[in-house]
Amino acid sequence: MSSRDEILGAVRANLPKLERPLPQVPMFDAAAPASLLALFKESLQDMGGDFLDASPGEDPLQMIRQRLASTKVVCSATPEVLGNRALSSIRAPRDLADVDIGVVRAAFAVAETGSVCLTQHSLGVNSLGYLPQHLIVLLDPADIVVNLHHAYQRPEFHQGHYAVFHTGPSATADIEGVLIHGAQGVRTLTVVPIVRAANNPTQ
Amino acid sequence: MNGIEKDTQPPLEAERTILHPELAAPPDESPVKNGRRLQHAEGASHPIHPPPEREPQPRGARIRGNHRVDQTEAAERFIASPAHEKMHDERLWDLRGKRDRQMHSIPEWEELRTLASAIKEHTLTHLDQYLEQFEQNARANGVHVHWAKDGEEHNRIVHGVLRDHGAKTLIKSKSMLTEECGFRPYMAAAGIEVIETDLGERIQQLDNEDPSHVVVPAVHKLRGDVAQVFAAHLGTDPMDDDVHHLAEAQRQATRPLILNAQAGMTGCNFAIAETGGITVCTNEGNADLSANVPNLHIASIGIEKVIPRLEHLAVFVRLLSRSALGSPITQYTSHIRGPRAGGEMHMVLVDNGRSARLEQDKFWTSLKCIRCGACMNTCPVYRRSGGLSYGATYSGPIGLIIDPSFNRHKYSALPFSSSLNGSCSNVCPVKINIHEQIAAWRQVMAENHELTLIKKAAMKAAGVLLAHPVLYRAAITSADSALNNLPRFAIYIRLNAWGRHREVPHAPRESFHSWYKRNRSVP
């Protein structure tokens, strides 16, 4: 008998003979706040992330381009920002190791936790979310859901093989509780509110 | 209160209990944003600092083959190292405090715990069906699914996959299951280089120690201990114990190993039957590096990790990091359903005693555990003895009820390392009745003649007294007066493990029984 059949057989033989119905999970959204963006922003900052607030009259895209102008290696998976390292030139995930700033667009965001959802489509190459020193994430404020219950109703979890919530940057406090950003992944994560272009319905 | 809006106020000073005020430190190395000191992930909510003088790190329980592990002996050595003991106590109590503040910010918290418990109990009572559904969907996604009856078979399967790919180096994220399986020693013997990528776990690997906590594996170490480990293995300055320098040294040393690894391995926090995918939670992003940089990804999955659908995942993700660290979510919550284009993904579903535990009336619900560590953070025994004192894969309250199912004799003394105060059950996000199971394990040990001689003698004497009310009352009266009058050396003798490091409470002048007899009015 294969190990598979032995294990399943043992499980079947040992199942507790108890009635345990599967409960309905409420959406817990009865009291959603007026502004999902405001809650998202606060949650993100509490988790160590940055939110780029453009002052009235300022173009956030222009602010990003200014920051990138002085950056050595930029790799962008978005049509809005042009990097100097083309994703199409990447042969292996490790080829992104020298990238200073990666730029991606979030599929959506979660207000409750301050998370942005990135997928294999939005990343192009999955390691773009982890190997660069810094990550800039474009987010359409219309793409924010209130909490994780709503988040897991989204199609992204059924479409591709990879979807991930990034909530702030890579962090650790494994030594004496001293919080450090940039444990093994990105050192900073900056979310920039930029409306999704009409001709870019997904990623 | 608004159901979604979080508690926008920073925690009140009054809410924070500092156990050891001498550890309070001026604003420290943690980042500040918008004038607020950040405290997400495992970050401490207030600066705490051990005394500057270095103290040798107390080591864990002495393991001698199948001999009974003496947790009390190792705990004594931990307590005899006050700098370590106080920091450990303070750090974990702080995580417990952070957890409470998260709990209070979510009105539906208790409802979430009830849901989480019910979902787990439903899944465990239908585990065969959900495992088959999970396997079928994972295979449809292009994943190679393996089944392992025990740790040895798990290791053999993983080694086989690595050999097929000619892989000699493996980067991995933290997994308690692989600790259970004795994975690293097995791979070392097979000539495979395994590199842990979580900072705490890497520290433990380099120091040749087991993780002492399921979530913060090196929490028992002080910065000076880490500086010594890194000096020996990474060539850093042994006197430089700046935490930022230490973390950066590990980042720099590990990065080339990540980039050049031939295979990657992760654990699994939740396996979703509906999608055939796994969810892995980390703060460092190291599971994503392990899964996404090498072309080969292997995931080790305990069979109890399966849950039915994504809608159920929401409940667990909301509870996990809040219970573990008092942080709303881990920095990374990753959902992996299948291989990348051009890559290969394997999953190993591991039983290792789980199907047998399912049969145990009193203990099967321990399989609900999501490995958050909340029970450890709150446990007064754990906080003051350190995780390595348990000499087993799992420590703290959850360890007391899981470890004996792996080896009843070796871990027979562990269920006695508890005051049965019940705090563990109160913080458990999936409502495991941990303290009741600890008591039930004591009974099992007594029935299986696994009590130590001292406990046996004490139980026998207690048994006689409890069976004879007159004797009992006489004994209580004389014991109370004895407690108040006996010299210290007679109370704090070595036979009384509980008297060794704490004060015995003052005994009342009069027992309730005699007070009642004196005061009751005749009806």
Side-chain angles (χ1 to χ4, degrees):
Chain A
M1 199 160 46
S2 69
S3 292
R4 174 190 186 277
D5 294 343
E6 274 190 56
I7 293 168
L8 285 172
V11 166
R12 247 173 238 127
N14 294 345
L15 286 181
K17 307 281 182 293
L18 299 163
E19 276 297 313
R20 289 291 188 272
L22 187 59
Q24 287 286 320
V25 179
M27 299 302 283
F28 294 111
D29 58 0
S35 167
L36 291 183
L37 182 64
L39 177 59
F40 167 78
K41 192 173 136 182
E42 194 199 326
S43 307
L44 168 71
Q45 289 171 339
D46 281 352
M47 290 293 291
D50 295 304
F51 187 88
L52 196 143
D53 261 324
S55 348
E58 253 185 319
D59 176 9
L61 211 48
Q62 205 50 47
M63 291 169 73
I64 301 178
R65 287 181 184 134
Q66 270 169 17
R67 179 176 166 193
L68 296 183
S70 56
T71 306
K72 208 165 138 205
V73 185
V74 178
C75 184
S76 172
T78 70
E80 290 92 343
V81 177
L82 202 63
N84 55 16
R85 169 73 51 85
L87 262 184
S88 55
S89 71
I90 302 303
R91 298 274 165 273
R94 53 170 284 170
D95 295 349
L96 291 164
D98 63 340
V99 173
D100 297 295
I101 299 184
V103 186
V104 297
R105 176 173 282 281
F108 67 95
V110 188
E112 174 197 5
T113 52
S115 311
V116 288
C117 178
L118 309 178
T119 68
Q120 66 195 65
H121 303 295
S122 54
L123 289 161
V125 175
N126 290 352
S127 63
L128 183 61
Y130 309 95
L131 288 177
Q133 300 293 317
H134 306 274
L135 198 61
I136 293 178
V137 182
L138 313 187
L139 172 69
D140 189 331
D143 289 338
I144 304 176
V145 300
V146 62
N147 63 22
L148 285 167
H149 303 286
H150 282 262
Y152 282 118
Q153 301 287 323
R154 298 271 310 196
E156 284 82 358
F157 298 101
H158 297 276
Q159 285 166 347
H161 280 180
Y162 186 66
V164 57
F165 293 127
H166 282 212
T167 314
S170 164
T172 183
D174 271 343
I175 307 173
E176 287 189 5
V178 176
L179 185 60
I180 283 156
H181 289 164
Q184 207 54 256
V186 301
R187 296 177 191 273
T188 67
L189 179 138
T190 308
V191 175
V192 188
I194 295 178
V195 174
R196 198 186 283 275
N199 59 356
N200 178 26
T202 54
Q203 286 79 34
Chain B
M1 184 181 164
N2 190 310
I4 303 295
E5 259 171 356
K6 35 201 297 182
D7 183 6
T8 52
Q9 296 303 310
L12 297 170
E13 282 305 309
E15 284 180 43
R16 190 187 286 148
T17 344
I18 296 176
L19 295 174
H20 308 286
E22 67 272 32
L23 299 179
D28 68 347
E29 312 98 315
S30 289
V32 173
K33 204 152 270 192
N34 300 334
R36 285 162 70 174
R37 185 180 174 281
L38 290 178
Q39 49 171 289
H40 62 92
E42 314 94 324
S45 72
H46 59 100
I48 40 181
H49 211 294
E53 309 81 40
R54 286 198 187 174
E55 175 187 85
Q57 186 201 323
R59 296 292 171 174
R62 298 190 172 110
I63 307 296
R64 293 169 298 131
N66 197 39
H67 283 67
R68 185 182 353 241
V69 173
D70 188 351
Q71 194 266 343
T72 315
E73 181 276 330
E76 280 207 18
R77 283 185 282 110
F78 195 76
I79 292 169
S81 308
H84 285 82
E85 187 230 339
K86 284 182 180 174
M87 271 297 281
H88 193 258
D89 194 19
E90 190 77 51
R91 267 280 282 142
L92 295 173
W93 185 243
D94 182 54
L95 291 180
R96 162 71 209 274
K98 283 175 69 187
R99 173 241 174 234
D100 287 359
R101 291 192 284 277
Q102 284 294 320
M103 172 187 75
H104 290 308
S105 74
I106 297 190
E108 62 266 25
W109 182 263
E110 284 306 313
E111 199 177 345
L112 289 173
R113 285 180 73 217
T114 303
L115 283 166
S117 172
I119 295 164
K120 279 283 183 183
E121 292 195 5
H122 167 81
T123 316
L124 288 167
T125 51
H126 301 77
L127 188 57
D128 54 333
Q129 297 165 32
Y130 286 116
L131 282 171
E132 283 182 313
Q133 190 192 353
F134 175 77
E135 178 194 37
Q136 192 184 351
N137 287 326
R139 287 218 160 108
N141 297 336
V143 177
H144 301 267
V145 180
H146 311 261
W147 297 75
K149 280 182 295 199
D150 51 29
E152 207 277 338
E153 189 173 14
H154 163 268
N155 297 342
R156 201 153 22 87
I157 290 168
V158 175
H159 185 214
V161 173
L162 295 174
R163 205 175 37 218
D164 291 347
H165 287 77
K168 288 281 184 193
T169 53
L170 176 81
I171 49 169
K172 74 181 280 290
S173 62
K174 205 167 81 58
S175 149
M176 289 311 294
L177 176 60
T178 59
E179 300 292 333
E180 237 180 72
C181 293
F183 179 73
R184 287 205 307 262
Y186 184 101
M187 288 297 142
I192 306 280
E193 189 192 357
V194 175
I195 300 120
E196 296 286 351
T197 53
D198 173 86
L199 170 62
E201 191 72 20
R202 183 65 172 162
I203 293 168
Q204 291 308 96
Q205 180 187 21
L206 293 175
D207 200 26
N208 198 24
E209 259 189 344
D210 288 338
S212 74
H213 187 288
V214 293
V215 180
V216 274
V219 70
H220 60 295
K221 277 188 164 71
L222 301 181
R223 60 181 75 197
D225 306 325
V226 179
Q228 283 179 7
V229 173
F230 281 6
H233 296 274
L234 308 182
T236 52
D237 176 357
M239 294 320 290
D240 181 1
D241 57 12
D242 180 293
V243 176
H244 283 264
H245 294 177
L246 293 168
E248 185 66 19
Q250 189 261 170
R251 177 183 168 107
Q252 297 302 341
T254 307
R255 195 167 166 95
L257 304 175
I258 292 174
L259 296 176
N260 294 320
Q262 293 159 314
M265 184 178 215
T266 66
C268 161
N269 292 89
F270 307 99
I272 323 300
E274 176 191 25
T275 64
I278 58 167
T279 299
V280 189
C281 306
T282 74
N283 283 322
E284 303 190 13
N286 57 314
D288 299 277
L289 284 162
S290 302
N292 287 317
V293 176
N295 279 333
L296 174 62
H297 173 207
I298 304 168
S300 298
I301 307 166
I303 55 171
E304 86 286 15
K305 296 288 185 192
V306 68
I307 57 172
R309 294 195 294 275
L310 285 164
E311 66 189 83
H312 306 120
L313 180 60
V315 174
F316 293 102
V317 173
R318 292 189 78 191
L319 286 169
L320 178 64
S321 183
R322 288 184 169 109
S323 297
L325 304 170
S327 194
I329 190 169
T330 47
Q331 308 294 116
Y332 298 94
T333 304
S334 314
H335 312 80
I336 310 171
R337 285 209 304 144
R340 295 192 311 274
E344 197 171 306
M345 183 172 181
H346 293 254
M347 294 180 180
V348 189
L349 290 163
V350 186
D351 183 337
N352 204 32
R354 287 158 174 76
S355 62
R357 213 185 306 155
L358 206 52
E359 192 192 21
Q360 300 175 317
D361 288 349
K362 285 183 186 148
F363 304 119
W364 72 276
T365 56
S366 65
L367 291 163
K368 293 193 287 182
C369 176
I370 58 172
R371 309 284 190 261
C372 71
C375 61
M376 306 159 85
N377 301 344
T378 200
C379 175
V381 177
Y382 177 85
R383 279 190 276 115
R384 299 193 57 202
S385 27
L388 297 177
S389 67
Y390 296 75
T393 300
Y394 299 100
S395 50
I398 189 68
L400 305 188
I401 63 173
I402 292 183
D403 297 321
S405 71
F406 291 114
N407 188 329
R408 186 169 290 178
H409 173 69
K410 188 170 178 179
Y411 304 122
S412 57
L414 290 189
F416 297 89
S417 293
S418 164
S419 64
L420 299 183
N421 59 71
S423 180
C424 44
S425 306
N426 287 334
V427 298
C428 178
V430 290
K431 292 191 156 184
I432 301 173
N433 57 337
I434 304 175
H435 71 296
E436 289 170 6
Q437 292 193 31
I438 294 172
W441 269 113
R442 290 183 183 182
Q443 199 181 347
V444 170
M445 295 311 173
E447 284 162 9
N448 287 276
H449 312 290
E450 289 287 7
L451 299 186
T452 59
L453 280 176
I454 293 167
K455 285 199 181 82
K456 256 186 235 167
M459 299 285 255
K460 202 170 168 190
V464 171
L465 282 181
L466 294 173
H468 299 86
V470 176
L471 271 182
Y472 172 76
R473 273 177 217 125
I476 285 296
T477 309
S478 58
D480 284 352
S481 72
L483 272 183
N484 289 335
N485 297 310
L486 274 178
R488 290 185 63 83
F489 70 82
I491 299 173
Y492 297 89
I493 54 170
R494 293 199 53 84
L495 290 184
N496 177 11
W498 290 107
R500 256 174 259 168
H501 300 286
R502 60 178 187 183
E503 291 297 309
V504 169
H506 281 288
R509 258 169 302 177
E510 187 177 11
S511 74
F512 173 77
H513 187 85
S514 76
W515 174 88
Y516 181 74
K517 249 170 98 173
R518 196 158 49 75
N519 288 291
R520 74 172 166 180
S521 53
V522 181

